[in-house]
Structure formats: structure tokens, C-alpha cells
Amino acid sequence: MVSKVEKNYAGYADKVTQVNHSLFVHYTDSLGQIAARTDERNCVTVLRSWIKYFNDRHMTLAIKGDNPGDSIRIRALFSNAETQPISRDQFMRYLDTQKDKLDSLEGIWQNEDDAYQIAFIRDRKKKGQEFVGIILRADSVFWLPGQVKARVSKHGTTYRMRYFYNKYHDTITPILALARHTLNAGVAGIWRKVYPGDNSGEVSRGHYYDPFFRTLDEQTCLLVMPSFSLLAKPLIDSLIEKNRAVISQIRHLIVDLRNNTGGSVLCFQKLLPYLYTNPIITKGQSVMATEDNINDLYSITDYPNISDSMETIFKNELKELQANKGGMYKLWKDDTLTMPTVLPYPKTISFIVNESSASAAEILLLKAKQSKKVKLYGRHSMGAIDYLDVASTTMPCQLYTLRYATSRTNRLPEEPLDNKGIVPDVEIPDNVVDWVEFVRTK
């Protein structure tokens, strides 16, 4: 891992400097000594500890688990996870006998792909309003029944996720929104309460990554884009095209980017003409043009949902990198986007963002902020935008996949945004539940 990152990570020279080099070497050597005598169960902790030094949201360690025998190894990795064993029958009896005293969060919740069921129950051992989410049903590899997957605290009528463990038992703290029997946990997905339920027929609106469009009133429409994955590109493109007549005549367009952790900048291209008022300046990026990075990322040109012309551009960029191997290369120059006309409508475009809006979503925000039509609402974005274009490489043990950024924005060092994020024009107060309605009525 040390060798791979030293050679290929685009942020290495920025993060390991003359000032901190001795400290970094000492830190690395100390972890190396621990790694030399640790077992596999604790290996993941050592690896993640080293990664944290770089404080980069685009550097992660994933666990593959697709080889024979991996299931046993993965269960062993997380055998020391916090547990609060509870049986389904026991929990349902509690729900039935305490139904008049239950909090709205208490119950059995199921995620949208039916991979998990969680029992959320009030934690009587903790002070205040705190709830623990315990696995009732899972894949029995990464997660086992009885393991604690989440904790939520309640402040007045507002719920806050204290922590949520993802598939790899990494800690995340997504924004939480509870509306009747639907729980939107942002990057942790949408959950539906399956017991106790009601007869309203309320279900989540579909897959978490699906965009959707809605007219809110005569003057306002809403475009929600939860992801910029290339898989979502044709959905976003067709949605904007299908509603072109409405968008082109509406006074106010609200664009909801909450929990959009990024993907490809190709996903929002059709939105740019609507927000354009003056030339949009975009800083370019430099690529760490090493053999590993070229092979692991830039040689891949069979991306889904891209045009032939875009694939040709990717192939030409590959040739350019291959001709300039050896260090940082300015592959993408600074750019100024000029359009032939300024569309009269929408008159106003409001972007809603939060701490889970990241990467390509933040690139869109930097473009949008240059428009006279645009105002940002919500909370500051994640701050995962200085080092981009993530390559993946399998570790020697075959169980782990290391991911790290291969490109660096030309905004640096003057305009760093990592771990700071983009500040909104209007911060939405903590006591506001319906952010869309807050923006609509402003």
C-alpha cells in the first residue's frame, strides 16, 4: 500500500512535505512494525489507519469477498463488532406491547434492495433520546444478525445519525430524514418501515440513485439528482429532455443535490444551458501519469452510456498520457465555456446541498456559482474535489481493493476545498425538516 500510494497518488507531494516528512516516515514505520506482527483480523485496522493520514475522501479500502473462502475470512475480520443480540419474535413482542409509547423511529426497517433488515429500538442504557439499529437479517458475511449497524439521536423532532456502518464496517454519518414510514439516510440508502406498518401504501420512490422531476406549483419545479454515476446519465438526460417545455417556461427551478457523492461530469451537461448567464470558467486537472494509473484507470475506455465521440476523446487522452509518462501532466487545461444565448427561463435556479454532496456534484456547484441566476441553499458540501479520478488496485492478499485519486485540480494550492467544502449562500436551519419547501417559499 505504501509503495503504491507513494508512486501513484496525485496528492502525495502535497500531503507529504519537507515539514512533515520525518513525522510521516515515523508514522509509517510504526504501523509497519504493527503490521508485521498482526493477524488478518486486525490488518484492516492498520491499513485504514495509514490511509487516514492523507485525509482524502477519495482514498479508501474496499473488501472484495468474491473469492472462494473469503466469507470465512470476512466474518473473522468483523467478529469483534459491537453486538446487541435480539430475536425478531422478541422485538415484535416489544413493539406490540409498547405500541402506544413507541417513537416513530422504533420498528423493523428494510432497505430498498431487501439486503438488510434492522431493528431500531430505544437504547435504555444511554442518556437522552438515543436509538440503536441492530441487524435482524443480512448477508451473513459482512454483517451478521445481532451486530449494531447504526445509532441515531433525537433532538426535539429532528433525528441525527450519530454513526452508520457501511458494508465494509466503515463509519459514515449521513444526513437523516424521517417521513412517516420512509427513512432517507442519504448515501446509506432509503429504508422502509415494514413493522409496525400502516395501510397508506407509502413506499420509497424507487432506487436511491434514480433522478426524478416534479412540478411543485405554477412557478416552481424540482429536479432531484441523487447520483452522477454513468449508469444514471441516460436517466438524467431523458428526464431533462422530457420536461424541457416545463423547465423552459418556469420561473424557479430547484435542483436537489443532497447526498450526491459524484460520478461523472457528463451527467449534468444538459443542465448547463439553463443556468448559463456568462462564460463559465473551469480549472483544469493534472494527472499523475504513471504506468499503474494508466493501466488501472485511463486504459479503460469501455464506459457505459457514453457517446462514440466521448469514447474517442478518452482514447486520445490515453495516447497523450502514454506519451508523457513519468510524473504530473496537465492533461486537462483551464477551460472557458461560452454559449450562444442566455435562456430567459428559469429566472432563478436554487441548488440544495448538504455534507454528502461531493466530487462531481461539487464540480457542478463551482460552475453554477458563476451564474447570476443561481443561489445555493443548505449546508456546506463534503469537500472531495481537489484530488479526483479514482483508480482501483487489488492488494496482494486479494481480499482488499485500494482506491486513490490519480488527478489533481489546477486550483491548488491557491483554492483548496478538500474537507472544507463549498459554503451555501443561505444556510438552512437545523429545525427545518422540509428543505425543498423552505427553498420554494424563499
Side-chain angles (χ1 to χ4, degrees):
M1 177 181 280
V2 173
S3 174
K4 196 81 173 181
V5 171
E6 283 181 345
K7 181 181 177 182
N8 302 295
Y9 172 47
Y12 189 83
D14 293 335
K15 304 294 180 76
V16 181
T17 65
Q18 288 184 341
V19 174
N20 64 12
H21 184 265
S22 296
L23 181 64
F24 172 75
V25 170
H26 177 73
Y27 183 68
T28 301
D29 289 346
S30 298
L31 285 177
Q33 292 175 29
I34 295 172
R37 61 177 184 270
T38 198
D39 57 14
E40 186 171 63
R41 189 180 72 173
N42 295 308
C43 178
V44 66
T45 303
V46 179
L47 295 175
R48 285 174 175 168
S49 295
W50 190 76
I51 283 176
K52 285 180 181 178
Y53 182 90
F54 296 94
N55 199 22
D56 188 334
R57 307 272 188 152
H58 281 124
M59 188 181 292
T60 58
L61 187 74
I63 302 169
K64 295 177 65 178
D66 52 4
N67 295 319
D70 282 351
S71 296
I72 296 173
R73 296 170 68 189
I74 293 169
R75 289 192 197 103
L77 288 180
F78 304 121
S79 60
N80 58 351
E82 180 188 2
T83 58
Q84 288 194 25
I86 186 171
S87 72
R88 177 182 295 274
D89 291 343
Q90 178 187 0
F91 185 54
M92 291 182 71
R93 282 196 299 272
Y94 164 80
L95 296 174
D96 291 338
T97 57
Q98 301 292 318
K99 59 184 178 181
D100 295 330
K101 303 177 183 178
L102 295 176
D103 186 88
S104 300
L105 183 62
E106 291 186 279
I108 298 175
W109 295 83
Q110 178 176 297
N111 69 337
E112 56 191 342
D113 62 5
D114 198 23
Y116 298 98
Q117 279 196 355
I118 293 179
F120 266 112
I121 186 171
R122 190 184 301 273
D123 192 338
R124 306 290 180 181
K125 298 178 182 178
K126 299 286 185 178
K127 294 181 180 179
Q129 297 269 63
E130 183 157 328
F131 304 85
V132 59
I134 306 167
I135 292 286
L136 290 179
R137 191 189 74 214
D139 57 13
S140 293
V141 178
F142 287 89
W143 284 94
L144 301 173
Q147 290 180 328
V148 173
K149 192 165 178 67
R151 282 191 180 273
V152 172
S153 59
K154 186 177 182 181
H155 306 267
T157 58
T158 302
Y159 295 86
R160 293 178 183 169
M161 188 74 78
R162 285 193 53 220
Y163 61 78
F164 182 97
Y165 293 119
N166 67 8
K167 177 180 179 180
Y168 309 116
H169 291 241
D170 270 337
T171 307
I172 56 177
T173 53
I175 305 299
L176 197 65
L178 177 62
R180 298 186 68 190
H181 284 62
T182 300
L183 182 70
N184 188 335
V187 292
I190 292 176
W191 299 71
R192 181 169 56 88
K193 186 186 279 188
V194 295
Y195 194 87
D198 64 8
N199 296 318
S200 68
E202 179 186 4
V203 294
S204 61
R205 60 174 172 78
H207 194 279
Y208 168 67
Y209 294 103
D210 289 350
F212 72 94
F213 181 90
R214 181 184 302 150
T215 300
L216 302 180
D217 57 44
E218 291 181 353
Q219 300 187 76
T220 314
C221 59
L222 171 68
L223 174 62
V224 180
M225 295 187 290
S227 172
F228 285 150
S229 163
L230 273 174
L231 296 174
K233 174 176 165 52
L235 301 175
I236 294 171
D237 288 351
S238 63
L239 199 62
I240 293 175
E241 184 61 28
K242 178 182 176 182
N243 294 282
R244 179 162 55 92
V246 175
I247 299 173
S248 299
Q249 299 177 47
I250 204 80
R251 186 189 69 82
H252 186 193
L253 170 64
I254 300 175
V255 180
D256 193 341
L257 291 180
R258 282 177 291 177
N259 309 314
N260 184 324
T261 55
S264 172
V265 297
L266 299 176
C267 291
F268 57 72
Q269 297 304 309
K270 285 189 176 294
L271 185 63
L272 296 181
Y274 295 104
L275 61 85
Y276 180 83
T277 60
N278 45 270
I280 299 173
I281 299 171
T282 303
K283 290 288 187 178
Q285 290 169 237
S286 299
V287 172
M288 180 59 79
T290 62
E291 191 75 42
D292 287 343
N293 289 345
I294 292 172
N295 292 337
D296 291 342
L297 180 62
Y298 297 96
S299 293
I300 303 170
T301 55
D302 57 342
Y303 294 107
N305 305 321
I306 66 168
S307 64
D308 291 342
S309 60
M310 205 62 229
E311 187 168 334
T312 299
I313 290 175
F314 285 172
K315 289 179 178 178
N316 289 336
E317 289 173 348
L318 171 60
K319 292 178 182 178
E320 197 171 346
L321 287 175
Q322 288 172 331
N324 293 276
K325 290 179 186 176
M328 295 297 289
Y329 174 71
K330 286 189 176 182
L331 180 63
W332 299 290
K333 311 300 186 288
D334 294 356
D335 176 69
T336 300
L337 174 64
T338 302
M339 293 188 175
T341 184
V342 175
L343 300 178
Y345 292 95
K347 293 287 187 184
T348 302
I349 301 178
S350 301
F351 282 81
I352 304 179
V353 299
N354 63 11
E355 297 92 335
S356 295
S357 306
S359 198
E362 293 178 295
I363 292 176
L364 172 56
L365 294 177
L366 289 180
K367 295 177 185 291
K369 278 170 60 68
Q370 299 177 54
S371 169
K372 296 181 176 67
K373 292 184 178 184
V374 169
K375 187 173 283 189
L376 271 55
Y377 291 82
R379 311 272 170 74
H380 67 81
S381 61
M382 181 182 289
I385 189 175
D386 291 346
Y387 308 96
L388 300 163
D389 298 300
V390 176
S392 298
T393 182
T394 301
M395 297 287 284
C397 69
Q398 302 295 309
L399 188 60
Y400 303 119
T401 297
L402 173 66
R403 296 170 180 162
Y404 56 86
T406 63
S407 71
R408 175 186 187 271
T409 176
N410 295 343
R411 285 184 289 100
L412 297 176
E414 290 82 8
E415 303 172 49
L417 287 172
D418 265 15
N419 302 301
K420 296 194 302 184
I422 298 166
V423 178
D425 300 300
V426 179
E427 185 170 331
I428 297 180
D430 288 344
N431 61 351
V432 174
V433 176
D434 192 336
W435 286 22
V436 172
E437 183 63 13
F438 177 91
V439 174
R440 186 187 72 84
T441 55
K442 281 295 179 183

